[in-house]
Structure formats: C-alpha cells, structure tokens
Amino acid sequence: MKYELVAGFETHIELSTKTKIFCGCTTQFGGEPNTHCCPVCIGLPGTLPKLNREVVRYAIKAGLAVHGEIAEIAKMDRKNYCYPDLAKAYQISQLYAPLIIGGYVELSNGRKIRLHHIHIEEDAGKLIHKHGDTYVDYNRGGVPLIEIVSEPDIRSIDEAKEYVERLQQVMRYIGVSDCKMQEGSMRCDVNISVRPEGSEKLGTRTEIKNMNSINNIAKAMEYEFERQTDLIESGGKVVQETLRYDDASGTTSSMRSKEDAHDYRYFRDPDLVTINISREEVEEIRASLPELPAEKFKRYTEELGIPEKDAQLLTKYRKISEFFDEACEGVKSAKSVSNFIIGQIFRRTETEADKEQFDVAVKPKQLNELVKLLDSGKIRNNLAKSTLEKMLDSGKGALDFISEADMGGVDDNALLELCKAAVESNPKAVEDFKNGKEKALKALVGNVMKNSRGKADAVAAEAKIKELIG
Amino acid sequence: MGTISKIHEMLTTKQCSCTELTKSYLEQIEKSNPELNAYVNVTGDEALKAAEAVDKKLAAGEEIGMLEGVPMTLKDNLSTKGIETTCCSKILTGYKPIYNATVWELLQAQNAVMLGKTNMDEFAMGSSSETSYFGGAANPFNTKHCAGGSSGGVASAVGANIAAYGLGSDTGGSIRQPASFCGIVGLKPTYGAVSRYGLIAYGSSLDQIGPITKSVEDAAIVFDAISKQDERDSTSKGSSEETYSKLDNDIKGLKIGIAREYLDGVRDDVKEAVLEAAEVYKSLGAEIVYFDLPALKYALPVYYIIACAEASSNLGRYDGIRYGYKTAHYNGTHDMICRTRSEGFGEEVKRRILLGTYVLSAGYYDAYYKKAQDLRGSIIRSFNDAFENCDVILAPTVPMTAFEMGHAVSDPIETYLTDICTVPVNIAGLPGVSIPCGFNAKGMPIGMQLIGRSFGEATILNAAYKYQQAAPDKFMDTKWGVKL
Amino acid sequence: MVTREDVENIALLSKLFVPEEELDGLTKSMQEIIDFADAINNAPADGEGFDNINNLSNVYREDEVVPSYDCKEILCNAPEQAEDHFLVRNRE
C-alpha cells in the first residue's frame, strides 16, 4: 500500500525588536552569559512584566504578511511548566485569545498551507550540559517570539521545505526577524503522521521538536515517515509522543520522561492587561508593509515578462528585488536588467548570505543607465556586458568606460564596408561556410564586431555577410 | 500616641532628633520583640543612617515632609535591595533582592526610616501569622493571642508602638484583619491604586499593598504617598485624588449601606459593636440603608480558587537555582527541585499550591477556575449595583476577635471562614479600611470595615475619620513601645 | 472525588514530593477543600464573565533598551554558580 505523509508545523520565530518582550534588556544574539538580564527576565520574586508595544506591531505585520486575521481583542496567558531554563516556571504566551487567527502560506505548486493562528510569547533561557551538570544562561530568556501554527496541510517533504523557506522569506522581507535557523532565531516543531493514500482520516501523529535547519527537517521527516510507515505495515501502532531528532545518527527518539507530566494549566496572566487592536492601527500597519515576495513574483512574471525561474531568484531576498525594481525604472526591457543581475552580478555574490546582503559595487541607478543606453540602441549587448564587468570592478558608472565614439553606432553603409572587408580578408572562412560549415559564419561576424569595436549590430552583420557570399 | 503627625511635629519643633527617636524605637524593639515576634529582621544600622540624613536636613533648616524621619516597617514580602526578604519562608532564606519595591522607593525618596522587616504568614497564606517560618506574631493587647495575618508582624509592631506605621499586603484580608485584631487602622486600597512591583506575589489579581497605622489621618498620609501610577506595573493606575485633605468633609447625608449577608455568622459582640457604630454614624447625619448581597455566599470559595490558582503559578519559580534555599542532597535536577520545594515550603503553602494546581489542571479548569472567574464578574457587578444605593458599605472586618495562638492552625477550613468578610473586597478590587469600633468582654479589639467604590479611598477615609473623631475611645493605645 | 492518583499527579505537576504515608491524609484534606470549593458548582453566574479588575487595555512599554544588570548582581543570590552561569550540579 502507498502511504501519504501529513505534516503540520509549529514555527517559532524570534522578533528582531530592540528589547525583550517584557523588559528593556537587549535582544542581541550572543553576549557574555547572563549579561542581557535584569530582575524581570530572571523572574525575581515581585517583578512584573510590561509588554513591548513593538512586539505587538511586529506580530501584526507578520500576521498580515501571511493573510491572517488580526484579532480585535487579544490576551496573554501563562503556560505553566517547571524547567531550569524557564525563570518563572511559566512562559507568558497566548492560548485563549491569540493575536492572529487563520492565514495561509501559498506554495509554488499552488497549494495553500492554512495557518491555525499566530501568537506572541517569550523565549526561554539556554541550558548548557557539561559533565552531567547544567549551566543556565538567561540572555535569551524573554526574547520575543511569534509562534506560527499551521494546519496539517503539508503533504510532502518538498512542501515542508518550501513552507519553511516561504516563511523565512516573507518574515525577512517585512523585517520582523532575521530567521537565522543556525542561531536559533527560527525553530520548527513538526507534527507528522502517515495515512494510506486516498484516506481522509488523520493518523496518529508524533511531534519532532526544535529543529534548526531545513536539512534536518527534511531528514527527520523522511526518517519519521519511514518509521511510521514500517510500523503500520508490520501491524504496529504509532504512539503519540514528542521526539527529538539526532543529527549524528539520523534517527528520532522519545524526549519525555515520566518526570515531565505535561499539563500546562494555561490561565490568563493577571499581571498583563487586555490588548485591544483598533482597525485603524491594522490598516496603518498594512499600509507600511513593503510589496511582498509573492506579489513581486506575480508582477515580474505577468507584467514584466520575466521567466518564473528568474523571477524566483529575483524575489528570494528583499534587497535583490529592490535593486531590480530600482534598476528597472523607465527601462524598456526589464528582462535585460534581470539578465545582467542573474548573469553577471550574481557571480560576484556567490553565497546565499552575500545574496541576502546584496552589497555590490554597482548601484541600481548605474545599471539603470547602462540598460537605457542599450535600450536606445546606442550601444550593443556585448559592449554593455563588458562595461558592466568594468563597473563591477571599479564601482564607476557606464559613461566612464564608453566614449562618445563608442555610442555612434554603425550605419548601413559603414556596416556594408565592414562586412566586405571581413569577407575579403578571410577567404578560408568564406570557403568553409560555402562547404556547409555554419560555424565559419560566426568568425566572419566576429571580425566585423571587432573592427567596429563592438558597435555593429551582430544580427544585421550576419544577414549582410550571407548576402555577400550568396 | 506615636502617630505620624505627632512625630513630624516633634521633629520639626526639635523636641528630639531623628537619631534619638530612631534609637528609642530600636531600643523598644529589642525589649519587646522577643515576646511579640513582630520583627523578623531589624535593620538598625540602615535606620540610623537614614535618620542621620534627616537630622542633617533639619540642622540645615530645611523643611521636611510628613513622612521624613518617621520610623516605620515593611512586611517581609516587600522587596528591599540588599536587605533579606524572605516572605517568612524557609525557601527564601538568605535572599537579598537586587532591586527595590516601588512603594519602598517612594518612601525612601521621602527619607522614611525603616526599622526592619516584619513577620507574616508564609507567602501571606494564613490568618494568624503562625504559618511563618519564624513563628507567629503576638497581639499587643494580649500576647497569648495572635496578631492576625497575614500582615501580623506589621500590625503587632504598630499596635505595640515599635513602628509608627507599616506597609502590609492584602490578598484576602491580610491588612484589615490583623489591623482589626490589634485595634488599629488598616487600609486595603483599590486594586491598581498602589503599584505591586516588588511585592512578592501570592494572588496577583487580588494582592494590594496598603498602610497599617495608628490613626485614620496616618492611613491617608501614607496612602497619598504610595498611590502613584507606576510604569513597571501594567495594572497600576495610581489614585486620582488626594485623601488627606478631604478627611474632615461633612458626612451629612452620606448613605451607609449594611449588607445583611455580612452579619450572618458573625459573633454577637462583633455584630453589636458594628451596629453601635452605625448609630454613631446616624448621629453624625449619615443615613443607614440595609440591603442584600446574595453573591457574597460564593465569595469565599471563589477567593480560594482564584488565589490558590494564581499562587500555584507564582510559586513555581522557587526551584533552588536562582535564589533562596536549595536542598543539600539530591540526584538529578528534577529531584533537586522537588526536594528543595518540599523542604522549603511549609504545610499551608504546599496545600494551597496543590489546590491551585488541581483547579487549573486538565478536566477541572472549567468547573473551578473558569467558573470562579465568571462568579467574580457577577460579584463585581453586585457591588456596583449596591453602590447605586449607597456611598459606603459598613461591615465587620472579621466575624470574631483575635484567636489564641495555636488555634488557627488546627483546622484549615475553619480558618478560611474567618476571611468571609474581607475577601469580597479583594474579589471586587474595591478599597476597604478597617478601624477599631470596640472591645469584647476580654478587652480584645473589634474592627469594622468601610468599603468604598473603586478608587473611592477619599470617601471611606473621610467616613472613617469622622468616626474616629466621634468615638476616640475605640482607638486605644497599648502598654508597649515608645511613648511620645 | 479526589483520588490518591489525582493527588500524586498534581504533586508531580507542582514539583512537590508527598511521602507515601502522607498521601491518604492529604487526599482526604484535599477532598474537604474541594467539597468546600464545590459550593460554586450551582452558583448562578450572570454570564457576563470577567476580564480584568479595572478593565484596562493597551498598557505598553516603548521598545527602548535599558541597560541590563551586571552579571555578578544577577548571580549574587544563586545557591551555586560557575563560569558566570547559574549552576545545577547533577547530584550533591
């Protein structure tokens, strides 16, 4: 029997506000242990939380970016569990009235992964285990998080990967998080079950906790899918449990011991008041959102005629798309701009991190000028390409490398003369062409281009030469 | 009587220096505290240092405020930087906060002279101060009797003139009940009038800090000083009006309501004293109206469910990792935490944590916690309705007078019942002031409370002051402490 | 009905040890308190519920950094510490 994978995600994303959710300590990553702490975030008796306004705004932004509905009334709850990284023995979170309801993330195959809700909460501190002892650092304790809870709508590992990438992309676009999985600012819990293909009923799920790379998510899901399928095929039953993925062995194992009874006893946090969100504020925040990657993709492919594959590359990071948009202003061929970026500038930004930064020597305005010269027929593609390389090396503008003479163009008479000269001085090539060697024609055109210092129209030259040789 | 105004007058007229005054309080503490057990930590050096600063100001001819140089005390659940703050629990022994409670910051800014920290029921859970890790506080009227609780230490100290005033906290009556037992004044402010920042939480939605004083004027002075909106407490609003300047307003035509339910099950001597006080009010021109408040029937269970639920969460943090007591022998983190908590908390605290955990746990949340919250809403609205027809509600503070030491610990439910008259005010977040209104046959003080509308402290203190003026004999001093 | 198992379970959630010999007594005492609390079971609520005492909403902090405490102060009350961390030894 064939089995289908069913998965839902709980994604924790650290918000990049300046300060923690309930106190004024910095949220900066790293820092010496226990130096980003105060009485509030280490939960000293008698301290009280005070909600950071920006956390609410960031969460609303995130909610709008994934088409969620912003609640009019939201409340903070306490989630009680005792663990050394949780200074108050409860996490301030939201259960009964979360900030954002619903929403979805659309994948490239057109499927929409529905979201159940998004809530805000505080992060826990960090535990370091050494020789069986536990060292506790509360720097991360109280850093604001949003938790995005999806419906079990994911049907394959590829969809899972894309879902995470899409979230990463959109959250970075709107600037609410850097979503660095390696630094823990984005972490996923995956709920996974299997069922016979065609079945509507959900199988028993397991939850793989705290995954911090897309690779591991894929590997863990693959392992868990196999494990559950094998289990069912051999007549066994999946047990609902929480699992940890071990990267080294590539396997999952149960996390809970009998010491961790889990009943979180959620109740309204009496130390915090109601969050009332006016529709005006929501609209204000909506208006402040940048054009989102999905919208850009649509515009690039449908209005600018950019191929889908290229549009995906251009929209992957906000800085690239903004570069592209600026370089496109007033040009006839957005496709040329795209080609220059993907063909040449990308060679200078090799890593993903470089692409995300997109800090290149050429400014969008300079590329814009170059493409406009090309548009107007003042220069030819080859010259433009070589000029862009020089611009990338130096940071100078196109006009620093292209002279007035270069921009003269080559009129029909001059072109005829150049072609004649090429035919006369290359009898061997002419002979080869006549004998059916198509390639020989290229050599003749090359000669024309060289002698025109790249200004001649290569296509026109080819036609002329063919005419001359007959 | 060692009231704030009296001390202020003595200091400004140079009848004594602040240092001399402080020393005499410290001497009296040394003399009487072994019997009273009011203080659990005396901070003489800090007190004398604060007194010296006041003397310098006086010597320089500078003016001083009403609270400057007045020797006072704080309940041991108020966070004091560098000074041990234990909540009278073994689990917080040795804990020295690194920050100050907002109320202490406000008083320090006025050069208050803190003599030390006072005794209380462990984590404010109790009605006699006997659940204290350091043993109970005695009643200055008769040391065989308890001072009440949970702010028993403050009441004992103020009643015995070894502090001019003190700050306590009131979750279900913990200011008013000991004030009533010790024959003095205790004000539980409106929820949100005084910042809770730095008050070690018991039931966060019920807790309020307030003054315990010898007179109504003193309660007004201290309340005015501490009722400020605080950036650090989201639930704090501060008080909108000054109360001290309104104490002597005429109360002719004031409608004083008596809810019949408040008199049910109250001992005769207490009931008589309260009804006699109503007569005094009539003679002052107030109108007495009787009414029913049936929602009160559920106040006590609602209170215990909410308070214990919040407490079970608030007290989860005592795990032996960041501060306080840690068990000596264990095997693994879970074992360490369980042992630390089992050894560090007393029986009553453990009982309330378990009850709170129970009412919040899966399957019981709706029947208990959620239901209690709904009833809380109903009780609030019943009070609102009552205040449509009266300005102040008059009620006994406690159905009885101070019980003998050892009596309260025997039966938890019976002890819970003593809170019947005080908890409704906490549930509804209203202000209530307890003032003395008589004595029983054995000479133990009886208290009554005046309950006001939300943020109506000025009205109840005004009414309380008028009674104090009309019946000064009810405000009787004890043999103890500093005689001024 | 409060059972021994209930008490064991809530004790575990509360991170409290209840010695075997105290379990029956505690179960009984819990039952008494719960019976007392059960008074609310049939109480008529007016159905309007409860939000927070003064119906406050939107009390916020601005997102401005306040200097953190010195690590030494943060750790000064810790029963055990090492290398600027709170330390929980596995056994003692």
Side-chain angles (χ1 to χ4, degrees):
Chain A
M1 199 191 293
K2 278 202 102 179
Y3 285 87
E4 179 182 49
L5 174 150
V6 176
F9 271 67
E10 287 165 29
T11 310
H12 291 89
I13 292 173
E14 274 185 7
L15 299 178
S16 50
T17 52
K18 291 197 213 66
T19 65
K20 293 186 178 182
I21 182 165
F22 297 121
C23 67
C25 289
T26 177
T27 53
Q28 246 169 52
F29 180 71
E32 294 300 312
N34 295 303
T35 55
H36 298 168
C37 297
C38 74
V40 175
C41 58
I42 64 164
L44 286 189
T47 56
L48 297 169
K50 183 106 186 257
L51 183 57
N52 180 345
R53 182 193 295 270
E54 205 67 356
V55 169
V56 176
R57 290 214 185 103
Y58 274 38
I60 293 173
K61 268 191 191 182
L64 291 173
V66 292
H67 319 282
E69 183 195 324
I70 312 303
E72 289 188 35
I73 289 173
K75 299 175 185 184
M76 304 306 301
D77 299 307
R78 291 186 185 178
K79 177 182 183 179
N80 296 285
Y81 66 96
C82 182
Y83 206 62
D85 61 4
L86 200 59
K88 302 187 294 297
Y90 58 82
Q91 178 191 31
I92 303 177
S93 179
Q94 298 185 293
L95 176 75
Y96 297 110
L99 207 50
I100 291 121
I101 318 289
Y104 62 86
V105 172
E106 190 170 357
L107 304 181
S108 55
N109 61 9
R111 292 196 62 228
K112 283 180 179 169
I113 308 303
R114 291 168 304 150
L115 304 179
H116 183 269
H117 76 270
I118 302 176
H119 67 255
I120 54 176
E121 62 185 21
E122 58 181 333
D123 209 343
K126 209 171 71 184
L127 301 182
I128 300 155
H129 301 282
K130 261 196 277 188
H131 333 290
D133 298 336
T134 305
Y135 293 71
V136 196
D137 171 11
Y138 291 107
N139 280 354
R140 202 182 63 188
V143 168
L145 294 174
I146 48 172
E147 181 173 338
I148 303 175
V149 180
S150 87
E151 299 286 357
D153 283 356
I154 289 165
R155 294 288 173 270
S156 71
I157 288 164
D158 281 340
E159 284 191 353
K161 280 156 73 174
E162 194 189 341
Y163 171 77
V164 176
E165 281 167 356
R166 292 270 163 204
L167 278 184
Q168 233 171 2
Q169 181 190 37
V170 77
M171 294 305 151
R172 285 173 178 161
Y173 251 74
I174 60 174
V176 301
S177 174
D178 57 20
C179 289
K180 286 184 184 160
M181 293 190 93
Q182 70 280 12
E183 286 183 6
S185 62
M186 183 178 192
R187 311 188 290 267
C188 297
D189 301 341
V190 187
N191 287 294
I192 175 166
S193 63
V194 300
R195 65 182 174 194
E197 229 168 52
S199 163
E200 287 292 310
K201 226 181 102 208
L202 290 174
T204 306
R205 67 189 156 89
T206 59
E207 182 180 13
I208 318 170
K209 276 271 181 204
N210 251 327
M211 289 198 288
N212 52 10
S213 83
I214 293 183
N215 250 337
N216 278 0
I217 291 172
K219 284 195 284 182
M221 287 178 75
E222 210 159 314
Y223 175 84
E224 195 52 22
F225 178 67
E226 299 279 317
R227 188 186 73 85
Q228 289 188 16
T229 314
D230 289 351
L231 201 57
I232 293 168
E233 296 231 293
S234 60
K237 262 196 176 138
V238 176
V239 182
Q240 184 168 344
E241 61 184 336
T242 307
L243 306 171
R244 161 194 306 119
Y245 176 68
D246 178 46
D247 194 17
S249 65
T251 59
T252 59
S253 59
S254 188
M255 254 177 99
R256 300 279 186 201
S257 65
K258 90 175 193 337
E259 287 167 2
D260 316 293
H262 42 109
D263 177 345
Y264 293 127
R265 290 156 285 138
Y266 278 97
F267 73 104
R268 172 82 187 273
D269 191 334
D271 291 329
L272 290 157
V273 303
T274 306
I275 303 169
N276 258 318
I277 300 150
S278 73
R279 298 303 96 181
E280 291 76 47
E281 189 175 3
V282 173
E283 288 320 308
E284 202 181 290
I285 293 172
R286 195 194 302 278
S288 78
L289 286 179
E291 190 183 18
L292 298 175
E295 295 161 6
K296 279 191 191 287
F297 181 83
K298 199 161 181 267
R299 182 164 62 82
Y300 292 175
T301 51
E302 289 177 11
E303 291 175 26
L304 303 181
I306 308 287
E308 285 192 1
K309 207 172 140 250
D310 292 353
Q312 239 160 46
L313 293 171
L314 290 174
T315 53
K316 185 161 184 192
Y317 299 109
R318 181 173 170 179
K319 289 216 172 119
I320 297 177
S321 67
E322 281 175 352
F323 188 105
F324 172 71
D325 287 339
E326 214 182 318
C328 277
E329 255 168 64
V331 306
K332 280 188 204 143
S333 163
K335 180 105 191 348
S336 307
V337 179
S338 165
N339 288 345
F340 283 128
I341 292 175
I342 293 167
Q344 284 178 271
I345 301 180
F346 271 19
R347 261 185 268 132
R348 310 267 176 148
T349 52
E350 276 178 61
T351 65
E352 286 300 302
D354 288 345
K355 286 200 172 68
E356 190 178 355
Q357 278 308 107
F358 214 59
D359 191 12
V360 291
V362 170
K363 299 294 144 232
K365 234 184 142 44
Q366 295 173 322
L367 179 60
N368 180 269
E369 283 164 6
L370 182 71
V371 175
K372 279 183 178 161
L373 289 176
L374 192 63
D375 275 349
S376 64
K378 285 186 178 161
I379 61 168
R380 299 290 168 202
N381 206 33
N382 279 354
L383 180 62
K385 271 187 180 169
S386 62
T387 304
L388 180 56
E389 287 304 319
K390 289 176 195 156
M391 289 162 67
L392 284 164
D393 288 338
S394 65
K396 290 180 183 165
L399 294 178
D400 284 312
F401 303 104
I402 302 171
S403 67
E404 280 298 324
D406 289 335
M407 288 189 286
V410 179
D411 65 24
D412 275 357
N413 281 338
L415 184 64
L416 187 62
E417 288 311 310
L418 283 164
C419 290
K420 273 182 183 163
V423 169
E424 275 162 23
S425 56
N426 290 290
K428 171 95 173 63
V430 175
E431 197 58 34
D432 285 350
F433 179 70
K434 282 181 172 161
N435 291 334
K437 263 193 171 175
E438 284 288 325
K439 251 191 176 170
L441 190 61
K442 295 271 177 254
L444 292 168
V445 174
N447 184 278
V448 172
M449 296 311 288
K450 189 179 150 212
N451 290 330
S452 72
R453 298 181 60 216
K455 292 186 296 177
D457 183 337
V459 181
E462 194 178 310
K464 275 251 149 52
I465 292 168
K466 270 188 182 165
E467 234 172 71
L468 286 171
I469 315 174
Chain B
M1 221 193 288
T3 61
I4 293 169
S5 9
K6 171 85 182 173
I7 290 170
H8 179 70
E9 187 201 310
M10 287 175 70
L11 290 175
T12 47
T13 56
K14 310 242 157 87
Q15 291 175 53
C16 66
S17 74
C18 187
T19 304
E20 285 163 358
L21 182 78
T22 304
K23 276 186 177 155
S24 63
Y25 270 93
L26 289 169
E27 273 162 27
Q28 288 301 323
I29 291 172
E30 203 170 326
K31 233 188 250 173
S32 51
N33 202 52
E35 194 175 345
L36 292 170
N37 202 23
Y39 282 86
V40 292
N41 183 11
V42 179
T43 52
D45 293 344
E46 288 90 343
L48 288 169
K49 230 163 110 189
E52 205 179 305
V54 176
D55 281 335
K56 268 194 192 141
K57 261 182 101 168
L58 286 165
E62 286 178 51
E63 263 189 46
I64 59 167
M66 275 306 257
L67 292 172
E68 284 205 66
V70 179
M72 48 75 69
T73 183
L74 295 177
K75 187 177 181 179
D76 204 29
N77 59 354
L78 292 166
S79 192
T80 44
K81 190 171 171 177
I83 296 170
E84 200 176 345
T85 300
T86 68
C87 279
C88 292
S89 177
K90 180 180 177 184
I91 212 156
L92 271 175
T93 43
Y95 168 60
K96 288 184 177 173
I98 57 172
Y99 77 100
N100 280 322
T102 297
V103 286
W104 176 225
E105 235 168 45
L106 287 167
L107 292 177
Q108 252 186 334
Q110 300 211 29
N111 283 326
V113 175
M114 184 177 70
L115 301 163
K117 306 289 288 283
T118 22
N119 207 350
M120 57 185 280
D121 281 296
E122 184 183 4
F123 281 100
M125 297 176 184
S127 305
S128 69
S129 299
E130 289 169 290
T131 69
S132 165
Y133 180 55
F134 306 106
N139 193 307
F141 278 86
N142 181 343
T143 53
K144 285 200 181 68
H145 291 248
C146 73
S150 69
S151 313
V154 182
S156 175
V158 174
N161 303 302
I162 48 175
Y165 71 95
L167 294 187
S169 67
D170 190 317
T171 307
S174 285
I175 287 174
R176 289 161 290 154
Q177 187 255 29
S180 164
F181 278 8
C182 294
I184 47 179
V185 177
L187 170 67
K188 181 266 172 207
T190 307
Y191 188 82
V194 179
S195 167
R196 291 182 296 118
Y197 192 81
L199 165 65
I200 299 182
Y202 160 23
S204 311
S205 73
L206 303 155
D207 296 340
Q208 255 307 275
I209 299 168
I212 294 179
T213 60
K214 298 213 69 111
S215 71
V216 176
E217 301 96 294
D218 284 5
I221 292 168
V222 179
F223 174 73
D224 286 345
I226 60 173
S227 52
K228 309 287 179 204
Q229 201 267 336
D230 182 11
E231 285 304 308
R232 288 169 290 193
D233 176 359
S234 310
T235 62
S236 123
K237 284 181 79 175
S239 173
S240 50
E241 54 176 351
E242 220 205 13
T243 61
Y244 184 68
S245 57
K246 300 188 178 76
L247 288 178
D248 210 12
N249 286 0
D250 198 350
I251 59 164
K252 210 166 252 146
L254 186 80
K255 274 184 165 176
I256 297 179
I258 297 178
R260 294 182 186 91
E261 287 80 359
Y262 265 125
L263 299 174
D264 287 348
V266 168
R267 281 220 316 239
D268 287 346
D269 45 5
V270 174
K271 196 192 279 184
E272 266 165 43
V274 173
L275 293 177
E276 208 177 286
E279 291 306 314
V280 172
Y281 275 117
K282 261 192 205 163
S283 73
L284 292 170
E287 189 188 332
I288 304 292
V289 289
Y290 282 84
F291 66 100
D292 293 312
L293 207 52
L296 284 190
K297 216 171 14 183
Y298 309 108
L300 211 47
V302 165
Y303 166 76
Y304 274 95
I305 289 166
I306 293 172
C308 292
E310 291 176 357
S312 73
S313 173
N314 286 329
L315 271 61
R317 71 189 69 190
Y318 303 100
D319 59 8
I321 297 174
R322 291 163 300 279
Y323 38 78
Y325 173 77
K326 181 187 181 183
T327 187
H329 304 287
Y330 60 90
N331 183 3
T333 305
H334 172 77
D335 189 53
M336 185 280 282
I337 295 173
C338 293
R339 277 178 199 278
T340 295
R341 293 167 61 79
S342 302
E343 294 162 16
F345 289 132
E347 289 313 308
E348 185 59 30
V349 172
K350 282 192 249 188
R351 187 170 17 240
R352 295 195 194 190
I353 290 174
L354 291 171
L355 176 66
T357 304
Y358 184 86
V359 298
L360 287 174
S361 63
Y364 300 105
Y365 174 88
D366 284 339
Y368 295 107
Y369 186 74
K370 192 167 177 304
K371 183 69 189 274
Q373 288 288 17
D374 287 346
L375 287 172
R376 185 175 192 176
S378 304
I379 292 170
I380 290 172
R381 287 178 283 276
S382 306
F383 269 108
N384 288 346
D385 292 346
F387 281 118
E388 295 281 310
N389 300 311
C390 66
D391 303 304
V392 170
I393 295 171
L394 173 64
T397 307
V398 199
M400 67 281 280
T401 53
F403 14 82
E404 284 184 33
M405 290 278 206
H407 175 81
V409 284
S410 56
D411 182 355
I413 304 258
E414 198 195 316
T415 310
Y416 295 174
L417 288 173
T418 65
D419 298 338
I420 188 100
C421 299
T422 44
V423 296
V425 159
N426 300 80
I427 291 171
L430 301 173
V433 62
S434 175
I435 55 173
C437 65
F439 298 88
N440 73 357
K442 288 181 180 163
M444 295 306 287
I446 296 167
M448 65 176 182
Q449 57 176 335
L450 296 159
I451 301 164
R453 295 187 181 98
S454 185
F455 295 98
E457 278 83 354
T459 308
I460 57 170
L461 287 171
N462 173 206
Y465 179 76
K466 285 296 190 186
Y467 178 81
Q468 181 190 296
Q469 297 292 90
D473 55 313
K474 314 289 188 210
F475 293 68
M476 204 165 81
D477 210 350
T478 61
K479 60 172 187 177
W480 302 88
V482 179
K483 294 289 165 229
L484 298 175
Chain C
M1 221 345 234
V2 183
T3 64
R4 272 171 69 105
E5 289 69 38
D6 284 338
V7 175
E8 279 175 329
N9 178 46
I10 58 172
L12 181 63
L13 284 171
S14 309
K15 298 261 176 185
L16 290 170
F17 283 141
V18 179
E20 181 63 30
E21 64 271 21
E22 287 176 24
L23 204 52
D24 283 326
L26 189 61
T27 305
K28 192 169 158 279
S29 137
M30 285 293 296
Q31 181 65 57
E32 283 170 17
I33 302 174
I34 288 300
D35 287 343
F36 166 71
D38 277 334
I40 68 165
N41 283 350
N42 301 312
D46 62 16
E48 288 175 51
F50 171 73
D51 185 44
N52 70 73
I53 278 288
N54 293 311
N55 291 314
L56 296 174
S57 63
N58 297 354
V59 178
Y60 296 119
R61 247 183 58 236
E62 293 306 321
D63 189 26
E64 286 155 11
V65 177
V66 175
S68 293
Y69 275 52
D70 193 283
C71 165
K72 284 195 179 56
E73 263 187 300
I74 291 296
L75 292 165
C76 73
N77 278 296
E80 265 198 282
Q81 52 168 298
E83 299 162 28
D84 293 337
H85 286 81
F86 294 93
L87 175 64
V88 191
R89 286 187 202 285
N90 188 38
R91 61 183 67 229
E92 200 79 46

